[in-house]
Amino acid sequence: MDNIIPVLMCGGSGTRLWPVSRASEPKQFHVFSGERSLFQQTVQRFSTELYAEPLIIVNNNHRDLALREIGELRSGPGRLLVEPSVRSTAPAIAAAAALIAEEDPDRLMLVAPSDHLIEQAEVFSDAVAQAAQAARQGQIVLFGIRPTHAETGFGYIEVGDFFDAVSFRVAGFVEKPKRTIADALFLGGRHLWNSGIFMFTARTIIEELQEYAPDVINCAQRAVTMAHRSNDTIRLSADFETAPAISIDYAVMEKSERLVCVPVSPDWRDLGSWSALWDVGSKDGNGNVARGDTILHDVRNSYVHGNSRLIAVMGVEKIVVVDTADAVLVGSLDQAQNVGRLASELAAARRPEANLHRKVRRPWGSYESLRVGEGFQVKHIIVDIAGRLSLQYHHHRSEHWTVVSGTARVTVGDRVFVMTTNESVYIPKGDIHRLENIGDDELHLIEVQCGTYLGEDDIVRLEDQYDRIIAS
């Protein structure tokens, strides 16, 4: 019997975890618990014999991040389904189903967010294995988390009659409730937290979408048919952008009569806010959770997240302090759910801190913008061992590279040569160039850009080993 295909959703923006989570590098690609990012933990969770190679749905802006993080795991490439723009969960799931149906419409799909924490992965996988029979019978299986307390931050699933030995029919849904209602749901024993994790065959979800959201599935199927396919990357066509931006909950789940729910207790957390991270974090004797270089004096029941420098806090309680290289958040832990409003205000004001970190990761390494001024920018570039930038040129800027440490192979026009520490080269505007690390250590260099426009979209790639060129 074919293994279940994990379909991992990477579209969340995670604005409530600003300033760490930003539009260019959302929360699933950051480390909040353990040694790996939430995305990497999700990939590892589904790396067992029960599951096939994952299908990872990612926005085009985050494809490089996903590739880099998969490479760090050394667990195989996985397949990437790349969205040209974010259209919510229904179009994304529809596209995944259409792609899987090309190979086998009766193949099981397990759709899961990539930003959840599940401490007992084996307990969850046992529930998935037990629920497979209902899914193969044409049911849409929802995984409901047995609540441990009254929670206002999650939606709930109302449990109905038995469907089989392990699952129940879904009697209804409750949106994120007020406190008094959450208390009643918890005490009543008939409601489970809605994990947002589903399982079904590709055929089942396509049929339900055709019934309740035909415009969604029609656009998704066209986008898959016309997709650009290269190696393990499937880039959906522009047809995807014509699909309505609607969640799978509104499009199908609240209308379908084929829903069943499997209760499970895998120590699950949706790490959607700083207060949620405080809840699950390892606390000191005063109830504080601290990460990074921190000193706390007379501080109680607080969350302190250091990133780029020493963070010293004293004489306060129930606060959140989060430090990054270019922004610091200080607020009440009770108001942590509202941080997304700050992120929205920053985006509306076109502040770069809403979107970019100073350090930007790329599949070949990273760069950090050190200084930006009128007509110039200074960057610190780090190229991983064997990393290789694309063969490219720019319309609007020239560049000057100086090697700080490591060994580089440099292409400029028809010249190919090696540079080491304290050597430099000038690259005129319009000249074809490439940078490669051919040494045994990271390659560090300083890049000075000069020109009328310095945006990252002024890159014309001619060759690229990371498959970032779309054939016209």
Side-chain angles (χ1 to χ4, degrees):
M1 190 171 292
D2 290 332
N3 293 352
I4 300 164
I5 298 178
V7 178
L8 309 183
M9 308 280 286
C10 293
S13 59
T15 56
R16 287 181 295 164
L17 288 176
W18 185 87
V20 172
S21 178
R22 304 192 187 185
S24 66
E25 194 169 340
K27 68 175 181 177
Q28 57 266 30
F29 299 112
H30 290 278
V31 178
F32 293 108
S33 175
E35 300 299 321
R36 295 288 190 183
S37 71
L38 296 174
F39 171 74
Q40 289 175 324
Q41 291 183 53
T42 302
V43 172
Q44 289 180 318
R45 188 178 308 135
F46 297 112
S47 299
T48 71
E49 293 182 356
L50 179 64
Y51 306 105
E53 180 183 78
L55 177 63
I56 298 163
I57 306 177
V58 64
N59 182 265
N60 188 55
N61 294 330
H62 303 145
R63 175 184 173 273
D64 289 354
L65 276 173
L67 283 173
R68 181 174 177 81
E69 297 225 330
I70 292 169
E72 289 175 357
L73 290 175
R74 294 180 172 86
S75 61
R79 288 196 297 171
L80 265 62
L81 185 63
V82 182
E83 302 172 313
S85 63
V86 177
R87 305 303 294 162
S88 195
T89 54
I93 292 171
L99 180 67
I100 292 169
E102 289 182 343
E103 302 163 0
D104 180 2
D106 294 315
R107 192 71 179 270
L108 283 181
M109 307 165 48
L110 179 73
V111 178
S114 62
D115 56 1
H116 289 180
L117 183 66
I118 297 179
E119 297 285 6
Q120 298 182 44
E122 68 285 352
V123 172
F124 178 74
S125 290
D126 287 345
V128 171
Q130 294 172 18
Q133 181 177 355
R136 288 193 172 96
Q137 292 174 357
Q139 301 300 304
I140 294 176
V141 179
L142 286 66
F143 292 89
I145 308 300
R146 295 186 181 94
T148 57
H149 59 276
E151 173 61 57
T152 60
F154 304 150
Y156 287 74
I157 303 168
E158 183 181 354
V159 173
D161 297 331
F162 274 103
F163 174 78
D164 59 22
V166 297
S167 62
F168 299 83
R169 295 194 181 276
V170 172
F173 297 93
V174 178
E175 294 290 337
K176 296 176 181 178
K178 295 182 179 179
R179 171 57 58 185
T180 54
I181 296 175
D183 290 337
L185 297 180
F186 178 60
L187 294 175
R190 299 288 297 176
H191 289 80
L192 307 170
W193 290 337
N194 190 347
S195 68
I197 303 175
F198 317 105
M199 184 166 62
F200 34 69
T201 66
R203 185 190 304 276
T204 295
I205 194 62
I206 288 173
E207 289 175 351
E208 294 299 272
L209 284 162
Q210 288 172 336
E211 174 71 18
Y212 300 112
D215 45 354
V216 171
I217 188 61
N218 291 340
C219 292
Q221 287 176 324
R222 289 196 302 270
V224 169
T225 299
M226 302 301 294
H228 172 77
R229 308 185 189 208
S230 177
N231 299 323
D232 292 306
T233 297
I234 302 98
R235 297 179 187 271
L236 295 170
S237 75
D239 296 274
F240 186 78
E241 298 180 274
T242 64
I246 184 173
S247 73
I248 195 67
D249 297 302
Y250 291 132
V252 172
M253 300 304 170
E254 295 185 357
K255 302 171 184 176
S256 176
E257 297 180 356
R258 300 165 73 172
L259 304 183
V260 299
C261 180
V262 174
V264 61
S265 300
D267 199 0
W268 168 90
R269 294 290 189 278
D270 179 5
L271 302 182
S273 67
W274 294 114
S275 55
L277 285 162
W278 177 80
D279 285 337
V280 303
S282 178
K283 299 177 180 63
D284 64 17
N286 291 318
N288 301 310
V289 176
R291 292 181 63 92
D293 190 5
T294 61
I295 295 178
L296 309 184
H297 178 69
D298 193 24
V299 177
R300 291 175 174 78
N301 300 320
S302 296
Y303 184 93
V304 182
H305 185 113
N307 179 273
S308 63
R309 72 205 91 191
L310 169 66
I311 304 298
V313 185
M314 63 182 297
V316 294
E317 61 180 86
K318 297 191 73 174
I319 68 165
V320 54
V321 179
V322 181
D323 165 69
T324 66
D326 59 350
V328 178
L329 169 70
V330 180
S332 165
L333 198 60
D334 292 336
Q335 294 293 317
Q337 293 281 354
N338 297 324
V339 171
R341 297 178 186 175
L342 289 177
S344 297
E345 289 180 18
L346 290 169
R350 299 185 181 276
R351 291 290 300 256
E353 295 89 349
N355 181 45
L356 293 172
H357 284 279
R358 279 190 182 172
K359 185 173 184 178
V360 178
R361 292 191 288 169
R362 289 289 184 255
W364 43 260
S366 65
Y367 71 82
E368 182 176 0
S369 182
L370 304 179
R371 184 73 182 270
V372 180
E374 185 66 33
F376 79 93
Q377 179 170 207
V378 182
K379 288 182 176 179
H380 174 200
I381 294 177
I382 302 175
V383 185
D384 295 337
I385 298 171
R388 190 180 194 219
L389 279 68
S390 60
L391 186 67
Q392 60 183 247
Y393 65 90
H394 310 292
H395 289 295
H396 302 288
R397 70 175 184 251
S398 63
E399 295 175 341
H400 191 279
W401 293 343
T402 301
V403 175
V404 176
S405 65
T407 305
R409 179 188 289 128
V410 176
T411 299
V412 180
D414 295 330
R415 296 186 299 147
V416 180
F417 51 95
V418 174
M419 286 172 45
T420 58
T421 302
N422 206 32
E423 294 182 330
S424 60
V425 62
Y426 171 69
I427 304 162
K429 178 178 66 177
D431 274 19
I432 294 171
H433 58 280
R434 168 177 269 160
L435 177 67
E436 306 171 64
N437 183 355
I438 60 172
D440 297 326
D441 300 298
E442 287 183 339
L443 170 65
H444 291 249
L445 65 136
I446 298 298
E447 175 182 89
V448 179
Q449 303 175 352
C450 294
T452 57
Y453 178 71
L454 305 175
E456 287 300 302
D457 53 349
D458 182 26
I459 299 175
V460 181
R461 293 188 174 95
L462 305 176
E463 296 177 6
D464 183 62
Q465 71 180 33
Y466 306 107
D467 194 28
R468 292 177 293 175
I469 301 174
I470 304 175
S472 57

